[in-house]
Amino acid sequence: MDTDQVYLKPNLVIEPLFDNWYAWSHLISPATAAMNITGRHLKIMSSYIQAPAAHAAAVKNPKMLGGPFIDYEGKRVDEIEQLRNNTLENQKELIVFSKAVKELDLMLKAKAKGFSLEPLYEEVPEVLKGYVELIYDLNNQPSFRFFEPFLYNSEFYKETSQSILLWLTDNDERPFVLSTPRLPDKDKIHLNIPFSHNGLDALSKMRRTSGSLSEIKEKLNIPADMETVFESFFTTELPKAYEKYTGDKVRMRYFGHACILVETKDVSILIDPIISYYGYPQEIDRFSDMDLPDTIDYVLITHNHQDHILFETLIPLRHKIKNIVVPRSSNGSLQDPSLKLMFNSIGFKNVLEIGELDTVNFNDCSITGIPFIGEHSDLNIQAKICHHVRVGDFKMLFVADSCNVESKIYQKVQALVGDVDIIFLGMECDGAPLSWLYGPLLTEPLARDKDSSRRLAGSNFERGKGLVKAFNPKEVYVYAMGQEPWLEFISSIKYTDESHPIVQSDLLIKDCKANNIVAERLFGEKEIMYLK
C-alpha cells in the first residue's frame, strides 16, 4: 500500500470461532459448550466421515436446510477427521464433563425418590463435585444446578478454544453455520486470539477511523506469510460518512431480522444487533455498520438464541457500546446459562441484567423488561425478556419472538404500562422442534412426536392480534422473520408466499389496516419517524 494509514474494508468479516466451529452463545458457557461438543460437533463430524456423499446430497435438498450436514460437497474428509481427532484431544476436559452430566442425571432419576438428597452428594461424578447443587422441585422431581461462576474459573473454560477468522465477503451466501466447521482457506486468516482481545477493538475502529497498518499487524501478531492477505483487508479509500441524527423526532431504523436502532439527537438504543456488510453488489437495500452512531448508549438483548446474540456483529461493536442490557438468569440450570457471565467473559464489562418489570431510567427515557413467553419449547428458561422503551411520551414495545399463548399476561402488562404507540412483533410461527437447538443438552432422547410438538415458534395471527388488542398501538410492524438473505446462514429460513408465517402475518397486517392501524412486514431496510 502507498500509505501506512488505512481503513478496514466494509465487507471484512470478523468471524468468531470456538474450536473451529462458528461461535454462538451456547459455546461460551462451559456447561452448554461441553454438551454441544459431544451432542453436536462430534456427532456431525463422525457422520460426515462415514457418509460424506449423504451430507453433500442433503445440503442440496431445500427440505434439509438447517440440518446436521457438513457443507463441503463430500470433500475434505481427511481434514474433518483430523479436526475430530483434535477435538477429542483438545476438548477432553469438556468431553468428560459432558459424560458426567449425563451420569449425574441418570443417577438422580434412579436414586432420588423424595428422600433427602444429602447422601447422593457422594455419588456425584468426581469431575462435577463442587460445581453442582442437587435439588428437588415441589413435586419431588430431582434435578441439579451449576454454580456457573466456578465453571468460568476452572479448566472447563479455555480461552484457547476461541479464535477469529478474517475474510472478505462479496455476497450474502454462506453455509449454515451450526453444522459446518471452518477449515483452512488461503484467502482467510485464522487468528488464535480470544474474543476479549483488545486488538479486535482496535481493528474494528478502523472501519471509521484510519489506523496504522504496521501497528495493527503487530497488535494482532500477523505472521509474515499472511501479510499480503491481511493487507488486502484494508483500503485508503475514505469510508461512507456517518450522518448523525439531529432532528427532534424519534427515528427507528430496521437493520434486518430483530435489529432496530432507536435514535434521538441525544440517545441511541440498538435492539438485538445483526448488521449486514456492504461494499459488494446487493439486490436488497439495507442499513450497515456505517449507519450506526459512533456511540451506542444501550444495546438490548431479548434472548439467548443465535439470531439474537450474534458475536460477529457484537464484538466489532464492543468499543462503541456504553451499556448492554441482558435478561436476568441466575438459576444455574443447564439450559439457561447466565448471559451476564457470558458477555463479561468475552470482554463486555458494562453488562446490566434486568428482570420482568425492572426499569432502567436515563435522560427522558426508560427501558422496562416485559415478560417473554413461548418460543423456548416449554423449557424453564428465564434469560428472555421483551422491552418496553419510552422516549419522552413516545412508547415502543419490542416483543421479538414471544408467543402470546396466554393473552392475560399481556393484558396485565398493559394495565401497568398503558397503551403503546408502536409494536414490533415476530411471527415466525412454525419454528424448529426443541431438538434442533436444545437437543445436545438433553440427557435422554425425546420421542419424535413430543419433540415436534414443542416448537421454537412465535405468535400466529390470533396470538398477534391479541397483542395488538391489548396495547392499542397506532402502528404495528412484523419483524424477526429471518427473511433477509444475509441471515440465512444462522436462520436457515426460506419462505414462499404460501409459507405459514407469511400467510399468518399477512392476515395480521390486513386486520390492522381494516382497523385503521398502520401495519407492515419489515424486510431489508425501513426508516420510521415519530414525534416525541
Side-chain angles (χ1 to χ4, degrees):
M1 289 196 173
D2 295 331
T3 176
D4 188 54
Q5 291 295 309
V6 294
Y7 298 94
L8 200 61
K9 288 183 177 178
N11 56 330
L12 181 80
V13 180
I14 302 176
E15 184 173 325
L17 303 182
F18 174 90
D19 201 31
N20 287 84
W21 289 77
Y22 192 84
W24 61 295
S25 52
H26 277 202
L27 295 180
I28 306 302
S29 172
T32 52
M35 304 303 284
N36 273 277
I37 287 170
T38 57
R40 190 186 305 272
H41 298 171
L42 288 173
K43 283 185 176 180
I44 291 174
M45 287 189 288
S46 294
S47 172
Y48 187 75
I49 292 163
Q50 293 172 3
H55 280 244
V59 166
K60 294 178 181 179
N61 185 345
K63 294 181 179 179
M64 299 291 187
L65 192 64
F69 307 108
I70 290 179
D71 192 359
Y72 281 120
E73 300 179 331
K75 303 173 184 177
R76 309 186 75 170
V77 178
D78 290 346
E79 293 174 81
I80 295 294
E81 187 169 11
Q82 184 61 54
L83 179 59
R84 183 190 64 177
N85 293 340
N86 291 345
T87 301
L88 292 170
E89 175 60 28
N90 297 336
Q91 303 296 344
K92 55 189 175 184
E93 294 92 352
L94 288 180
I95 292 170
V96 169
F97 185 98
S98 174
K99 182 180 178 182
V101 167
K102 294 180 180 180
E103 290 175 356
L104 175 60
D105 191 60
L106 292 173
M107 184 272 287
L108 290 174
K109 288 175 180 176
K111 298 187 176 183
K113 300 298 182 182
F115 297 98
S116 172
L117 293 170
E118 290 181 13
L120 296 184
Y121 277 89
E122 291 297 320
E123 299 191 41
V124 171
E126 189 65 30
V127 72
L128 295 181
K129 286 185 176 178
Y131 293 113
V132 296
E133 179 183 16
L134 308 183
I135 53 177
Y136 284 120
D137 67 15
L138 292 177
N139 292 313
N140 296 315
Q141 299 297 314
S143 187
F144 60 90
R145 73 177 191 92
F146 293 108
F147 297 107
E148 199 176 355
F150 291 169
L151 295 178
Y152 278 98
N153 290 278
S154 73
E155 69 272 24
F156 303 118
Y157 182 72
K158 295 192 298 184
E159 283 192 333
T160 53
S161 296
Q162 300 173 9
S163 61
I164 296 291
L165 196 66
L166 302 178
W167 55 283
L168 294 173
T169 182
D170 59 5
N171 59 64
D172 294 328
E173 298 293 324
R174 292 167 69 177
F176 178 64
V177 292
L178 296 193
S179 57
T180 299
R182 301 302 249 157
L183 297 177
D185 188 302
K186 62 181 177 64
D187 296 324
K188 299 177 173 63
I189 295 181
H190 195 174
L191 302 177
N192 290 312
I193 58 174
F195 302 154
S196 59
H197 196 286
N198 61 14
L200 295 174
D201 298 315
L203 180 68
S204 300
K205 289 177 183 177
M206 293 173 71
R207 290 193 193 275
R208 293 271 181 91
T209 305
S210 66
S212 166
L213 183 58
S214 56
E215 287 179 9
I216 196 65
K217 282 181 187 177
E218 183 178 357
K219 190 177 284 286
L220 295 174
N221 195 26
I222 301 300
D225 63 340
M226 295 303 293
E227 284 191 3
T228 300
V229 175
F230 187 70
E231 289 173 3
S232 72
F233 299 158
F234 297 87
T235 179
T236 56
E237 184 178 340
L238 288 172
K240 185 176 72 172
Y242 167 69
E243 297 180 10
K244 178 176 171 56
Y245 179 64
T246 57
D248 58 358
K249 297 181 174 64
V250 178
R251 182 172 77 175
M252 292 149 281
R253 283 182 160 184
Y254 172 71
F255 280 71
H257 200 50
C259 182
I260 307 284
L261 174 65
V262 178
E263 286 181 291
T264 69
K265 60 184 176 60
D266 301 313
V267 171
S268 59
I269 303 169
L270 186 64
I271 297 96
D272 285 348
I274 294 182
I275 309 299
S276 174
Y277 302 98
Y278 75 101
Y280 52 88
Q282 297 171 336
E283 296 180 1
I284 299 168
D285 292 337
R286 81 280 305 266
F287 293 119
S288 72
D289 176 85
M290 295 304 170
D291 299 296
L292 292 174
D294 294 327
T295 298
I296 301 170
D297 294 300
Y298 288 88
V299 163
L300 311 184
I301 301 295
T302 56
H303 62 298
N304 191 11
H305 288 166
Q306 78 279 4
D307 55 333
H308 296 264
I309 296 177
L310 192 69
F311 297 136
E312 183 179 319
T313 287
L314 283 162
I315 291 173
L317 293 182
R318 183 172 57 201
H319 68 279
K320 63 171 63 180
I321 297 172
K322 292 177 66 175
N323 301 281
I324 184 165
V325 180
V326 301
R328 179 180 295 115
S329 173
S330 57
N331 62 8
S333 65
L334 176 61
Q335 73 273 13
D336 196 19
S338 165
L339 295 184
K340 186 175 191 296
L341 284 173
M342 181 199 72
F343 275 110
N344 284 161
S345 75
I346 61 171
F348 291 83
K349 304 305 180 187
N350 44 355
V351 185
L352 307 175
E353 284 185 317
I354 63 170
E356 293 151 0
L357 300 184
D358 285 344
T359 297
V360 177
N361 292 298
F362 56 101
N363 298 342
D364 189 23
C365 306
S366 66
I367 299 164
T368 301
I370 301 299
F372 184 144
I373 55 174
E375 221 263 335
H376 286 73
S377 303
D378 304 316
L379 294 172
N380 181 16
I381 291 176
Q382 303 302 309
K384 58 183 194 291
I385 203 86
C386 299
H387 298 100
H388 177 279
V389 177
R390 180 187 58 79
V391 179
D393 294 327
F394 179 61
K395 297 177 180 179
M396 297 157 278
L397 185 63
F398 301 89
V399 292
D401 298 326
S402 185
C403 186
N404 186 21
V405 296
E406 174 48 87
S407 60
K408 290 189 181 300
I409 293 174
Y410 289 115
Q411 292 170 19
K412 293 181 183 298
V413 170
Q414 191 279 338
L416 295 172
V417 304
D419 289 343
V420 300
D421 295 288
I422 292 183
I423 289 180
F424 295 89
L425 75 155
M427 294 188 68
E428 206 296 272
C429 52
D430 281 348
L434 177 152
S435 61
W436 185 77
L437 198 65
Y438 294 103
L441 308 186
L442 302 179
T443 55
E444 292 184 347
L446 186 66
R448 180 170 292 185
D449 57 345
K450 294 178 181 178
D451 184 32
S452 183
S453 76
R454 296 169 62 180
R455 313 294 293 191
L456 296 158
S459 292
N460 59 16
F461 164 56
E462 289 296 336
R463 291 167 175 171
K465 184 178 177 180
L467 277 166
V468 174
K469 183 178 180 181
F471 291 99
N472 192 33
K474 301 177 181 70
E475 301 184 20
V476 171
Y477 295 97
V478 176
Y479 75 153
M481 299 288 278
Q483 283 186 281
E484 287 83 11
W486 61 89
L487 294 167
E488 192 176 318
F489 78 108
I490 53 169
S491 70
S492 71
I493 289 175
K494 280 188 176 180
Y495 292 130
T496 68
D497 291 343
E498 289 74 40
S499 297
H500 189 231
I502 298 299
V503 171
Q504 291 292 298
S505 54
D506 281 345
L507 288 172
L508 181 68
I509 292 165
K510 181 179 179 181
D511 185 78
C512 287
K513 290 180 176 179
N515 288 283
N516 297 315
I517 300 171
V518 174
E520 182 181 343
R521 185 173 55 242
L522 300 180
F523 179 74
E525 73 172 35
K526 175 76 175 182
E527 182 171 286
I528 306 162
M529 304 292 285
Y530 222 90
L531 284 170
K532 288 192 289 181

